[in-house]
Amino acid sequence: MPYEPSEYWAELHRRDDLSAVGQSALPPGINGWLYRTLARNYGRFIRRHWLDRPLPGSVFDVGAGTGFWIDWWRGRGVGRVDGCDLVAEAVARLNERFDPSGGGVRVADITDPAGLGDARYELVSCQNVLLHVTDDDLFRRALANVASLVAPGGALVLTEPILLHSEYERPYDPEKHSRARPLAAYRDPLEAAGLRLDAVEGATALGNNPIEAGSPAAFRRFVRWWRFVAKRSKERPDGVRWLGRLVYHLDPGALRTGAAPSSKFALFRRPIDEGPPESDRDQSNV
């Protein structure tokens, strides 16, 4: 069946746990460890690029899901953390759980600018969301809309399966719910929207399914590792603490080798003397 985002995500959100927004085929226990690993790496990326010194006064979380990243930013002292999600039930849960500190969390399809509002934010966080916009035209539209949320002098931080080796790109499949795309597919529309690429780094080496590697042999090794993680976590979903700890503690060392076989962090900034191009939202509907 063709991938239909609203139905797909509404069904997953009935779980109301991290498997709804993470690795949906894996149990919640291992998803918790994968999120913990990514959050540790994300925090280090944020600090390396001085995005928390000073803390941003406002953050927008694209695809807020279960609220993991809203919690993360609030836990670091950000006073205003707004967001959006495609699924109305998920948004209702988040607004009940979090006292709105600004605009709250709203129902929005990021391929349509109408639901995103007019506010601009010092930091926009988009965590493994854009890969699920599989149509190329809608993907470019979504990038323009997300970019329009970034205030002058602000930043956009993506966590996405960005390919640095274009030979690993796969053609569009209407039945798939995600796509890994080359860096240029992200960079070019975002730069056209007035942002500038500042950094791309590996987000995790061992805590997600591999999408590429520096050689076929290395790719096969990462595939074997991920199959081991998936198989063991499915066989013993209530006993994944040791496996989760293994991923958590081994991942930094793997990243230090320069391996980036999975998702990447990408930092884009809007120059302080530039606002969003006036035609951004009009162009996003073309």
Side-chain angles (χ1 to χ4, degrees):
M1 295 290 292
Y3 166 56
E4 207 297 309
S6 295
E7 294 178 6
Y8 178 85
W9 292 106
E11 180 65 28
L12 279 178
H13 271 290
R14 291 177 184 171
R15 303 178 183 184
D16 195 23
D17 61 42
L18 286 175
S19 72
V21 292
Q23 293 289 333
S24 60
L26 302 184
I30 192 64
N31 269 285
W33 279 102
L34 299 178
Y35 262 79
R36 183 177 176 181
T37 300
L38 181 62
R40 185 263 321 278
N41 297 348
Y42 184 71
R44 292 175 176 176
F45 180 83
I46 292 295
R47 289 191 296 274
R48 275 197 301 275
H49 295 282
W50 293 79
L51 294 171
D52 60 346
R53 289 169 279 179
L55 277 173
S58 59
V59 171
F60 190 91
D61 185 27
V62 178
T66 62
F68 182 93
W69 296 106
I70 294 178
D71 253 342
W72 193 90
W73 280 107
R74 285 194 168 193
R76 277 145 188 82
V78 176
R80 178 178 179 180
V81 187
D82 297 338
C84 70
D85 200 272
L86 182 63
V87 180
E89 291 80 1
V91 169
R93 283 196 295 266
L94 291 172
N95 281 324
E96 183 177 353
R97 177 180 164 196
F98 298 107
D99 292 329
S101 54
V105 183
R106 66 202 71 163
V107 179
D109 179 346
I110 59 172
T111 67
D112 179 355
L116 292 176
D118 297 324
R120 298 294 176 262
Y121 296 84
E122 292 181 34
L123 190 142
V124 176
S125 173
C126 190
Q127 301 290 316
N128 288 306
V129 174
L130 289 159
L131 73 156
H132 298 297
V133 183
T134 55
D135 176 86
D136 285 330
D137 289 338
L138 292 177
F139 178 75
R140 288 188 288 270
R141 193 179 301 175
L143 285 168
N145 294 334
V146 168
S148 74
L149 294 165
V150 183
L156 167 65
V157 183
L158 304 178
T159 305
E160 287 283 316
I162 297 171
L163 293 168
L164 303 180
H165 303 278
S166 59
E167 64 268 24
Y168 285 94
E169 185 179 10
R170 298 292 179 264
Y172 169 66
D173 182 340
E175 296 186 2
K176 299 291 187 182
H177 61 80
S178 64
R179 286 183 71 183
R181 289 178 167 95
L183 176 60
Y186 291 84
R187 182 192 63 226
D188 295 351
L190 289 173
E191 290 190 345
L195 304 187
R196 297 293 178 265
L197 179 62
D198 195 66
V200 179
E201 299 176 16
T204 178
L206 303 177
N208 207 337
N209 54 305
I211 56 171
E212 64 178 350
S215 70
F219 185 68
R220 288 192 295 270
R221 288 195 294 272
F222 284 114
V223 168
R224 285 196 298 270
W225 160 260
W226 186 248
R227 286 176 178 168
F228 164 74
V229 171
K231 183 172 185 289
R232 291 304 296 263
S233 61
K234 290 176 183 178
E235 289 174 346
R236 299 181 181 179
D238 297 328
V240 297
R241 180 172 296 183
W242 70 269
L243 182 59
R245 288 182 180 275
L246 188 65
V247 173
Y248 183 83
H249 290 295
L250 291 180
D251 195 61
L255 281 173
R256 282 194 292 272
T257 69
S262 188
S263 50
K264 316 295 192 300
F265 297 131
L267 169 61
F268 291 82
R269 298 183 189 268
R270 185 179 297 284
I272 198 165
D273 57 346
E274 287 185 28
E278 292 181 1
S279 58
D280 263 4
R281 289 180 178 258
D282 294 336
Q283 288 178 347
S284 70
N285 286 315
V286 174

